[in-house]
């Protein structure tokens, strides 16, 4: 009896002390009051206008170019249908569990990427900073792809597609038009360059000899880049109020284009050959560790994990939103889109191989090679090539567009939540977004030069790297599964959704996800291969050093932040640890890293009730 009374008194005292300070925390933070003179001047954080806006925004950022140009290539390259086995293993052990965890963290705290960790586990706040650095890197280079696609879209309205002939000023004597059947033979292909490749390298990129030769700015691509930045700015300038409306078009119309291209592809001669090549299983490939590593990296990239994008988007949900059900459907939509996109892509590649009389492995490409070489070449061989080119590049632009401006919204929300008194005043968010766009644009000027594609590939390979995502995944799952407590997270999700998650999620958060991520990280480092361009250009040593600096900049933020917080306090290490853990009054003085102690724990409902709970280890 005495023990219970003492515990209740302790809870009451701590609750009173925390509530006496300025508070805008908890599930109803935007409905909370801003004290003193700031009342009425600070804008509310807001919610999604409807559940559909949340679903479309998440679909927009997790369903992007990787679903169309990366998954199909990985599938055929790594054993066809057999690749689906490691893919599904990573979906179950890492993809869905982390997807649910990050979304629930945002919905519960109603905070951005950094302040979310500040309230749940202060020592792990470096995870939030690392994730936002990755988002910043992606904003700095991803939109270049949209500028290229817009450039192709303009030329798609020409009476004759410029990449379908060798009669242009940029073509060389070695140019071969693969659409002309009388020129198709193996010797010609080996000793020449296709008209599509020459258009890509000599007209679009104005490709130089290497990263050491940056050359002049390509003004046409620069204008396309400016146009895409203007569109992205106005898509995100009013926060979720504008983003939530734009995604109704940008997240749905690509599916219309994908369906049109799928139907057209399946009706082409040679389509069945391409689909069989895409899905034909090779079980022997499952013994190759590289297959499992690429399956894992595809899950982390395509699901948008470990960058806090899901956390930020989930933070605009109502507290009672069923995020558990939403996550399951969104994960199914993501993987289903990847699978269907494979049929659309390989049916067309099968047609191109049929027309050229070449093996399909000679025409199959991944990444920009698929979007700007292989598929345009296939389109040039179809009847009404302009129509299909327009459909394809509109799909590419819209798939990348919502990924870009939703990523911008994620970064803006995280910074705004970090400085709400400064940035949540009328007009300041729009001004900050303008400076952010201008800063990213200036940093991209080097990528629209003659050697800019080499810098672009450095950012793509190192800046937003699989190693960084895997490293963050290990610490994120450990922090939430062990320090914060998987059982406590289960209680939170149950209170929000009125549904208790399957036990497999707890098992993944505590054991499977960190273990699988750590093994994948080690294997990727052991089997590291230096980056090359077009399979022949080898970067200089200083470029590799710059690339690893980009990768380490996000990785070192996680342990570095924890170390700084521990060393910043006074007294012994144990006291410093306690200081770090009890610093955040907004979390009602949780002492996360002290074992077997009763602490005041917020009841997981908007009524701000409290109960005492034991810290889990």
């Amino acid at each position: 009896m005495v023990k219970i009374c003492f515990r209740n008194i302790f809870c009451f005292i701590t609750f009173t002390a925390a509530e006496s300070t300025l508070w805008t925390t908890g599930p109803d933070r935007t409905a909370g009051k801003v004290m003193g003179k700031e009342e009425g001047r600070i804008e509310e954080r807001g919610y999604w206008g409807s559940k559909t806006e949340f679903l479309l925004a998440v679909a927009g950022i997790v369903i992007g170019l990787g679903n169309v140009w990366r998954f199909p290539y990985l599938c055929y390259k790594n054993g066809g249908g057999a690749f689906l086995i490691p893919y599904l293993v990573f979906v179950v052990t890492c993809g869905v569990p982390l997807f649910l965890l990050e979304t629930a963290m945002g919905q519960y705290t109603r905070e951005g990427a950094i302040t979310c960790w500040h309230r749940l586990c202060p020592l792990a706040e470096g995870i939030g900073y690392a994730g936002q650095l990755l988002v910043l890197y992606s904003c700095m280079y991803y939109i270049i792809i949209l500028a290229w696609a817009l450039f192709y879209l303009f030329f798609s309205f020409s009476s004759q597609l410029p990449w379908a002939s060798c009669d242009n000023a940029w073509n060389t004597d070695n140019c071969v038009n693969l659409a002309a059947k009388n020129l198709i033979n193996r010797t010609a292909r080996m000793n020449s360059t296709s008209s599509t490749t020459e258009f890509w390298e000599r007209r679009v990129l104005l490709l130089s000899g290497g990263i050491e030769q940056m050359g002049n700015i390509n003004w046409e691509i620069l204008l396309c880049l400016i146009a895409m930045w203007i569109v992205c700015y106005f898509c995100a300038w009013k926060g979720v109020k504008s983003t939530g409306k734009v995604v109704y078009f940008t997240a749905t119309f690509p599916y219309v284009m994908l369906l049109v291209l799928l139907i057209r592809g399946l009706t082409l001669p040679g389509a069945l050959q391409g689909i069989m090549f895409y899905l034909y299983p090779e079980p022997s490939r499952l013994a190759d560790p590289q297959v499992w590593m690429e399956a894992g990296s595809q899950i982390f990239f395509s699901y948008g994990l470990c960058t806090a994008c899901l956390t930020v988007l989930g933070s605009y949900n109502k507290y009672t939103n069923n995020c558990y059900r939403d996550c399951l459907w969104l994960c199914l939509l993501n993987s289903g889109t990847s699978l269907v996109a494979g049929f659309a892509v390989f049916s067309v590649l099968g047609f191109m191989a049929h027309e050229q009389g070449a093996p399909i492995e000679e025409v199959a490409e991944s990444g920009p090679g698929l979007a700007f070489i292989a598929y345009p070449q296939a389109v040039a061989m179809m009847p009404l090539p302009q129509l299909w080119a327009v459909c394809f590049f509109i799909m590419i632009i819209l798939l990348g567009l919502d990924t870009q401006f939703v990523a911008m919204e994620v970064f803006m929300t995280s910074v705004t939540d970090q400085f709400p008194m400064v940035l949540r005043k009328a007009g300041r968010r729009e001004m900050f977004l303008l400076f952010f766009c201008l800063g990213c644009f200036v940093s991209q000027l080097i990528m629209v030069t003659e050697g800019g594609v080499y810098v672009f590939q450095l950012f793509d390979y190192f800046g937003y790297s699989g190693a960084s995502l895997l490293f963050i995944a290990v610490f994120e799952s450990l922090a939430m599964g062990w320090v914060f407590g998987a059982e406590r997270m289960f209680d939170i999700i149950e209170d929000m959704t009125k549904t208790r998650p399957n036990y497999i999620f707890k098992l993944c958060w505590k054991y499977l996800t960190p273990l699988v991520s750590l093994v994948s990280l080690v294997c990727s480092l052991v089997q590291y291969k230096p980056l090359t361009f077009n399979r022949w250009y080898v970067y200089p040593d200083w470029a590799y050093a710059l690339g690893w600096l980009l990768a380490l900049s996000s990785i070192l933020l996680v342990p570095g932040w924890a170390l700084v917080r521990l060393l910043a306090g006074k007294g012994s290490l144990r006291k410093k640890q306690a200081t770090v853990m009890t610093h955040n009054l907004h979390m009602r003085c949780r002492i996360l890293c002290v074992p077997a102690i009763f602490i005041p724990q917020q009841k997981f409902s908007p009524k701000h009730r409290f109960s005492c709970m034991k810290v889990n280890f």
Side-chain angles (χ1 to χ4, degrees):
M1 180 68 69
V2 173
K3 181 177 180 180
I4 294 176
C5 291
F6 174 77
R7 188 177 65 183
N8 290 338
I9 292 172
F10 179 60
C11 288
F12 175 77
I13 293 174
T14 310
F15 169 77
T16 304
E19 290 298 311
S20 64
T21 64
L22 180 138
W23 62 268
T24 56
T25 71
D28 269 344
R29 184 175 160 287
T30 56
K33 298 178 177 58
V34 181
M35 307 299 290
K37 297 181 180 180
E38 299 297 327
E39 187 172 4
R41 297 199 306 173
I42 304 299
E43 297 180 348
E44 290 188 355
R45 194 173 187 273
Y47 293 93
W48 294 112
S50 66
K51 186 185 185 70
T52 304
E53 291 184 6
F54 164 69
L55 295 176
L56 291 178
V58 176
I61 199 167
V62 301
I63 298 174
L65 298 176
N67 299 78
V68 175
W69 72 20
R70 193 168 187 267
F71 175 84
Y73 179 83
L74 290 179
C75 195
Y76 108 82
K77 175 186 173 185
N78 294 300
F83 178 74
L84 297 178
I85 295 176
Y87 180 83
L88 291 176
V89 168
F90 276 93
V91 166
V92 173
T93 58
C94 296
V96 180
L98 286 177
F99 200 104
L100 174 61
L101 176 64
E102 295 184 9
T103 306
M105 288 166 57
Q107 184 170 310
Y108 171 61
T109 61
R110 287 196 47 74
E111 292 288 350
I114 300 171
T115 49
C116 170
W117 284 103
H118 192 61
R119 304 189 189 289
L120 295 176
C121 184
L123 268 185
E125 196 173 338
I127 295 175
Y129 285 104
Q132 291 316 286
L133 186 58
L134 292 180
V135 172
L136 178 61
Y137 287 157
S138 70
C139 289
M140 290 172 62
Y141 81 90
Y142 190 85
I143 199 172
I144 295 291
I145 301 173
L146 306 185
W148 293 335
L150 184 62
F151 187 77
Y152 270 84
L153 180 62
F154 287 145
F155 278 98
S156 298
F157 292 98
S158 305
S159 58
Q160 180 183 14
L161 297 179
W163 57 82
S165 70
C166 292
D167 302 327
N168 306 288
W170 58 82
N171 293 126
T172 65
D173 295 336
N174 294 325
C175 176
V176 171
N177 181 11
L178 298 181
K181 297 184 180 180
N182 58 328
L183 294 178
I184 300 298
N185 62 73
R186 188 176 298 273
T187 303
R189 286 195 301 270
M190 292 178 61
N191 298 327
S192 60
T193 308
S194 71
S195 58
T196 313
T197 301
E198 289 201 352
F199 178 80
W200 167 241
E201 294 182 351
R202 300 176 61 85
R203 180 66 179 88
V204 180
L205 298 180
L206 303 178
L207 190 64
S208 69
I211 196 172
E212 307 93 334
Q213 305 170 19
M214 297 310 300
N216 299 319
I217 289 178
N218 186 338
W219 295 102
E220 293 172 313
I221 298 297
L222 180 64
L223 291 176
C224 292
L225 181 63
I226 293 173
M228 295 312 304
W229 269 117
I230 292 174
V231 173
C232 287
Y233 174 79
F234 284 105
C235 286
W237 76 315
K238 289 296 183 182
V240 292
K241 295 179 182 178
S242 57
T243 302
K245 301 302 181 290
V246 175
V247 291
Y248 276 101
F249 175 74
T250 59
T252 56
F253 194 72
Y255 281 96
V256 177
M257 294 291 97
L258 182 62
L259 180 62
V260 170
L261 294 172
L262 174 62
I263 295 173
R264 178 56 182 150
L266 294 176
T267 59
L268 293 171
L272 182 60
Q273 174 192 356
I275 292 173
M276 290 296 295
F277 192 81
Y278 166 48
L279 291 178
Y280 184 78
E282 297 181 44
S284 60
R285 297 284 289 137
L286 296 178
D288 186 357
Q290 185 70 23
V291 174
W292 293 80
M293 287 165 46
E294 293 191 343
S297 64
Q298 174 63 16
I299 289 299
F300 278 91
F301 282 116
S302 66
Y303 276 45
L305 303 176
C306 301
T307 58
C309 292
L310 300 172
T311 301
V312 171
L313 298 180
S315 70
Y316 288 106
N317 280 332
K318 298 288 198 309
Y319 180 78
T320 56
N321 176 64
N322 194 336
C323 59
Y324 180 51
R325 182 180 59 198
D326 294 345
C327 291
L328 296 179
W329 280 111
L330 285 166
C331 290
L332 180 62
L333 177 65
N334 186 300
S335 298
T337 302
S338 298
L339 192 62
V340 172
F343 286 95
V345 169
F346 271 87
S347 61
V348 173
L349 294 180
F351 161 74
M352 187 164 72
H354 173 78
E355 291 293 297
Q356 294 182 10
I360 196 170
E361 56 265 23
E362 292 188 11
V363 301
E365 291 283 351
S366 175
L370 171 66
F372 302 116
I373 298 178
Y375 209 98
Q377 180 64 61
V379 164
M381 298 178 178
M382 298 180 189
L384 301 175
Q386 290 85 358
L387 173 63
W388 306 115
V390 168
C391 290
F392 177 72
F393 287 112
I394 287 178
M395 182 187 71
I396 291 295
I397 289 173
L398 292 180
L399 280 174
L401 182 64
D402 52 5
T403 301
Q404 175 72 20
F405 72 72
V406 174
M408 291 164 53
E409 175 60 35
V410 167
F411 187 84
M412 290 298 302
T413 297
S414 300
V415 177
T416 302
D417 285 347
Q418 188 79 344
F419 307 101
M421 296 297 180
V422 177
L423 295 177
R424 205 168 285 162
K425 295 181 180 180
R428 292 194 179 181
R429 185 190 187 281
E430 292 84 348
M431 188 61 65
F432 179 66
L433 177 62
L434 178 61
F435 283 118
F436 172 76
C437 293
L438 289 175
C440 290
F441 171 75
V442 171
S443 68
Q444 290 169 339
L445 292 179
I446 193 174
M447 298 187 195
V448 294
T449 60
E450 296 172 5
V453 68
Y454 300 103
V455 180
F456 169 86
Q457 196 176 36
L458 271 183
F459 270 84
D460 185 48
Y461 191 81
F462 289 103
Y464 196 78
S465 66
S468 301
L469 295 176
L470 290 169
F471 186 86
I472 294 174
V474 173
F475 283 88
E476 179 179 307
S477 52
L478 289 176
M480 294 303 297
W482 291 94
V483 180
F484 183 80
E487 184 66 33
R488 184 184 300 179
M489 200 67 208
F490 259 46
D491 293 338
I492 290 172
I493 296 175
E494 182 179 17
D495 187 76
M496 292 190 299
T497 65
K498 309 306 177 188
T499 303
R500 194 162 186 83
N502 192 289
Y503 180 76
I504 187 66
F505 289 99
K506 184 189 298 185
L507 188 66
C508 289
W509 293 339
K510 297 186 71 172
Y511 304 104
L512 295 181
T513 302
L515 178 62
V516 171
S517 301
L518 181 61
V519 171
S520 301
L521 175 62
V522 172
C523 289
S524 65
L525 295 177
V526 170
Q527 299 192 6
Y528 164 75
K529 296 179 180 179
L531 174 66
T532 59
F533 181 80
N534 275 355
R535 302 185 181 93
W536 59 267
Y537 175 74
V538 179
Y539 283 80
D541 291 339
W542 63 264
Y544 288 123
L546 178 61
W548 278 109
L549 182 63
L550 286 173
L552 291 175
S553 63
S554 57
I555 290 176
L556 295 180
L557 273 176
V558 179
W561 177 266
L563 184 62
V564 169
R565 291 295 297 270
L566 287 173
L567 297 178
K570 298 179 180 180
S572 65
L573 183 62
R574 188 65 175 178
K575 290 182 179 179
K576 292 174 184 177
Q577 185 183 27
T579 300
V580 172
M581 294 306 166
T582 57
H583 175 70
N584 191 357
L585 285 176
H586 297 295
M587 289 306 296
R588 309 309 193 259
C589 303
R590 290 181 186 171
I591 307 174
L592 296 179
C593 293
V594 181
I597 183 172
F598 288 97
I599 62 171
Q601 166 65 29
Q602 180 177 342
K603 188 65 177 177
F604 314 116
S605 69
K607 297 181 180 179
H608 299 287
R609 293 174 296 176
F610 279 73
S611 66
C612 289
M613 172 176 275
K614 196 173 183 178
V615 174
N616 295 319
F617 270 81

